[in-house]
Amino acid sequence: MGKRIIVDPITRIEGHLRIEVEIEGGQVVDAWSSAQMFRGIEMILKGRDPRDAHHFVQRSCGVCTYVHSIASVRAVDDAFKVKIPKNARLIRNMLHGAQYLHDHLVHFYHLHALDWVDVVSALSADPQKTAALADSVSGADVGGAVYFKSVQQRLKTFVDSGQLGPFSNAYWGHPAYKLPPEANLMACAHYIEALRLQARTARLHAIFGGKNPHPQSLVVGGVTCQASLTADHIAEFLYVTKETQDFVKNVYLPDVLAVASFYKDWGGIGGTQNFLAYGDFPRTEQEPESLYLPRGVVMKRNLAGVGMVDPAKITEDVTRSWYENGSPKHPYEGETKPLAEDPKYEPNKGKYSWIKAPRYDGASCEVGPLARVLVAYGKGHQDIKPLVDKALTQLSIPATALFSTLGRTAARAIETVAVGDALQEWTMELVENIKSGDTKTYEPYEIPDSGRGMGLNDVPRGALGHWIDVKDKKINNYQYVVPSTWNLSPRDGKNQRSPVEEALIGTPVADPKQPLEILRTVHSFDPCIACAVHVIDPQSNQTYKVNVI
Amino acid sequence: MRAFDVKTYSVVILGIGCTLFRDQGFGVHLVHELDRRFEFGERVLLIDGGTIGVHLVGTLVGAERVIAIDTVRQGGAPGTIYRFEEQQIMARLNGADHLLQETFIEALAHCRMLDNGPRAVMLGIEPGNDHDLICGLTPALAEKVDEMIGRVLKELDGLGVAYKRRV
């Protein structure tokens, strides 16, 4: 039997996640993903007014702000049979697109990059060579030897003070870091630029949503930001979008590809088999036909046979989760009955997570950027297919390399480029629509006594579904299956692993006490466990604990 | 200077903490009370920074100074007031009293990485109960609101920043 290690808590994610792996011969041979927190929002919603649901569920997470709000209003729009006006559809898409830009930028630079970039190594870089590298790789606004020298100096001050701040508690010097010092310095400089930029990108939500996190202009029937449909607001939205998109195209995507070129072996690590995308960004009232990111399912990596998605085939299994047992249930019949007694962590044969195990047609499916990009690629998407082909050519790797941690990371950058461009088109479409005299943002409706509705969405972290059942005008049942439920669930009743558990198998681990390689793959899923704040015990000063057992 | 740049402030007065956890919301209650009682000029910003966390970077990066108010566990009697200078604040990064304090310090660290960031002072108060899921302060802290307000005003006096009591 191999050596078991637990990585808990996983940092640089949202929420509280524990990953346990078994290592034999320097590789991961088995893995268990455990979410350590339960909040019960689905239970809180019972008996409440369906129109209020989106306020509650949006508080599932402040990092994935907005997405639960849109999923919820879509589900209730569906239950109430409301058709929202064109402006509302456009604004909801624009806010959603803005969320993609912000989320993916922050994820790559501030949550994922340091798995690939060694900050301390950056201190020995030659600023002149770094400038030359940066010029050859990308078109950042700022560069030059003097600039990189000043970044290096700033990093040095941090490191010397012993107060690494955001860079502390990491694995600097780990043998799995492969970038030359100049690439490390370039990436660190861009980390800082991205940090500066994201504070402005976050404001996009405030323009048509009132605030960020948790913009509040969505309602059942449309949006409320009618007073914001002015030239000034739209101009500011476009300005910040363009500024962000410039960085995405000239720095983010090139950086990902530059880093990838040193880690090509990761095109064979961290892959899964099945991919599910609900798709999103409806361009007309017709769904799923008009979705900019298309809906589809790819089974067993078969890109030639992208299947239709039948929502009736979605079930959640609680056999290995801390809920009362029952057969796998579709979300309309879903139940949330947490075990009464304290959960016992029993990964080998028993229950070991608060996450339920969603399955599509009985199979475990990855969701997120890679799923979306693969579905789009398989369908010959006019924007995404060329971006993928160009990346594969630039890196001289085959399409099979997409099914990996590298592929997942590149897909995130690729779809950001596509969505960022489309976002500007949708904004211009809004302008034209308003100019034509249509200023309607809300469709009035009668609340039915009963009804069922679902909202299928593809949000930055992946496929997100909300299901609502209304009786006597109140919420009778509300279930949501979120991207990280799909990606980070435990096993199911048939002992099938979840995507992350499967992806970790075969990961090389050079030093079990510094499981950097495991973090690379776990982070590539962009987990959002969305726990309540205050899980970390303030009395213990440990922000990171690795138990080698 | 680009259009639509973030506005800069001389002083940001910031309350942090989650009001759902009893005394932990003290800083938030404090800034609301300050806002009720006083008017400040254009160069001063009061923020209920409650649970914003690292998003604070966007606002703090343009500020010259920040006065943060929060609960701090130092072992004193509930209601004891402390003052922390910059070094002491940054030293708490890996040993903060609660997650929102940690994310505030992270935000400050990020600001320093970006530009110089604001000079920071933290006024802390020893909590009585910061873990029960109840809104509202314990009596020991409720009766210190006035004194803490006085301490904030004293900081402003030291910076030569004007304020006016509302009628």
Side-chain angles (χ1 to χ4, degrees), chain A residues 127-340:
Chain A
Q128 197 96 312
K129 288 196 188 137
T130 308
L133 172 65
D135 278 345
S136 73
V137 159
S138 67
D141 264 352
V142 279
V146 171
Y147 165 76
F148 283 111
K149 181 132 188 76
S150 89
V151 170
Q152 194 177 50
Q153 195 49 51
R154 202 175 291 193
L155 289 174
K156 190 168 190 309
T157 313
F158 258 95
V159 172
D160 283 350
S161 75
Q163 280 187 357
L164 284 160
F167 300 143
S168 54
N169 288 342
Y171 299 139
W172 312 126
H174 194 289
Y177 280 121
K178 301 285 188 221
L179 298 181
E182 285 70 31
N184 284 317
L185 179 56
M186 179 181 80
C188 287
H190 294 165
Y191 175 114
I192 294 172
E193 295 302 328
L195 187 60
R196 198 176 270 128
L197 173 65
Q198 64 78 34
R200 283 204 292 283
T201 311
R203 285 155 57 82
L204 288 171
H205 273 195
I207 296 169
F208 293 118
K211 63 188 180 80
N212 186 352
H214 301 152
Q216 48 195 40
S217 58
L218 300 193
V219 284
V220 175
V223 297
T224 61
C225 52
Q226 195 169 69
S228 305
L229 299 184
T230 67
D232 277 351
H233 281 87
I234 294 176
E236 180 170 7
F237 191 90
L238 267 175
Y239 184 92
V240 176
T241 300
K242 274 195 217 286
E243 183 186 19
T244 307
Q245 186 65 351
D246 278 347
F247 188 89
V248 167
K249 285 174 133 156
N250 295 327
V251 186
Y252 171 29
L253 179 59
D255 273 356
V256 168
L257 297 180
V259 168
S261 68
F262 291 94
Y263 287 105
K264 287 193 198 177
D265 53 330
W266 278 79
I269 299 169
T272 63
Q273 295 297 315
N274 310 314
F275 304 87
L276 174 65
Y278 295 154
D280 213 314
F281 302 111
R283 284 174 292 183
T284 71
E285 285 181 8
Q286 301 295 99
E287 293 186 39
E289 295 84 349
S290 78
L291 298 178
Y292 174 71
L293 291 179
R295 180 172 299 173
V297 59
V298 170
M299 291 301 214
K300 299 205 189 354
R301 301 187 174 186
N302 179 13
L303 281 181
V306 178
M308 307 265 286
V309 173
D310 177 3
K313 292 184 172 169
I314 298 165
T315 54
E316 286 188 292
D317 183 316
V318 298
T319 311
R320 306 297 294 274
S321 315
W322 288 313
Y323 298 92
E324 285 177 28
N325 271 339
S327 56
K329 289 190 166 46
H330 183 275
Y332 274 137
E333 277 76 40
E335 295 171 337
T336 303
K337 291 188 178 152
L339 292 178

Side-chain angles (χ1 to χ4, degrees), chain B residues 9 26 28-30 39 45 50 53 91 95 120 125 127 152 155:
Chain B
Y9 291 96
F26 181 88
V28 173
H29 291 297
L30 210 289
E39 273 173 49
L45 179 68
I125 187 165
V152 173
E155 296 290 328

Side-chain angles (χ1 to χ4, degrees), chain B residues 13-40:
Chain B
I13 305 174
L14 167 67
I16 41 185
C18 180
T19 52
L20 296 181
F21 285 94
R22 222 94 231 237
D23 287 337
Q24 201 201 96
F26 181 88
V28 173
H29 291 297
L30 210 289
V31 294
H32 281 277
E33 194 54 35
L34 262 176
D35 190 39
R36 257 192 288 279
R37 298 189 197 180
F38 294 92
E39 273 173 49
F40 301 88

